Amino acid sequence: MTVASALQLMNQYGLILLFIVSTLEAMNCPGMPAGVLLPAAGVLAAGSDHNLLIVYAVMLVGAILGCLMLYLIGVLGGKAVEHWLKRHSGKHAAKIEHHLERIRNGNWWTILVCRMLPVVRTLASLLAGIARMPLHNYMMGTVCGVALYNAIGIGLGYFAGWLFI
């Protein structure tokens, strides 16, 4: 998905699409990279009647919902999800175990930091669920991390859109 195609879809379907795509991106669905989606949402806010804070809020709530859904899959799937991840990650199984241990021994700051790292941002939700991280710790790290990550991505897009539109 390119920025141009994301913008076209966002203009056509508005905030509902932003919410759905943000939720799917947080669940690591193919074709929804945050590196394209967040700046495109910022450009949309800069070049349309959509309010920047509303666009940000919609994207934030969608992403948090997607993260929570992955956390619940990790909680409900437990060891089965852990084995599936390790089996399908090939040479990266040791890294998954390493991140799982960090989450087991960490607190909400661990999740916040994970939210800033590509690939790890999505796996963190599953691993936190598998590790049975207390929900309040998970949500604190997720909300803070997603809020910061989205603010940066949407803000960059908004500034670029404002500058060039």
Side-chain angles (χ1 to χ4, degrees):
M1 177 178 280
T2 66
V3 173
S5 62
L7 280 172
Q8 181 181 7
L9 287 171
M10 287 178 199
N11 275 323
Q12 187 173 358
Y13 297 105
L15 296 176
I16 292 170
L17 179 68
L18 283 180
F19 177 79
I20 292 168
V21 171
S22 179
T23 302
L24 292 173
E25 187 281 325
M27 295 180 69
N28 201 29
C29 290
M32 313 286 178
V36 170
L37 180 63
L38 296 173
V43 171
L44 173 72
S48 70
D49 293 335
H50 293 295
N51 180 292
L52 176 63
L53 292 178
I54 298 211
V55 167
Y56 175 74
V58 166
M59 299 289 288
L60 182 66
V61 172
I64 291 169
L65 177 63
C67 291
L68 183 58
M69 289 164 68
L70 277 182
Y71 172 84
L72 292 174
I73 289 169
V75 167
L76 297 173
K79 287 288 185 190
V81 174
E82 180 181 350
H83 292 306
W84 183 88
L85 276 174
K86 288 177 180 176
R87 189 173 57 247
H88 287 85
S89 63
K91 63 182 180 178
H92 301 292
K95 288 183 180 183
I96 289 173
E97 185 59 41
H98 170 75
H99 290 301
L100 190 54
E101 267 317 298
R102 286 197 111 141
I103 288 171
R104 280 190 182 115
N105 297 325
N107 56 24
W108 69 272
W109 283 94
T110 306
I111 297 299
L112 185 146
V113 170
C114 287
R115 292 277 165 238
M116 300 298 123
L117 304 172
V119 180
V120 176
R121 356 183 288 102
T122 305
L123 282 177
S125 296
L126 279 173
L127 297 178
I130 292 167
R132 301 239 192 278
M133 175 180 253
L135 184 59
H136 65 279
N137 284 346
Y138 171 75
M139 289 305 293
M140 175 75 90
T142 293
V143 169
C144 293
V146 169
L148 180 59
Y149 192 82
N150 283 13
I152 293 167
I154 293 170
L156 288 171
Y158 184 80
F159 179 70
W162 179 77
L163 200 60
F164 298 110
I165 291 180

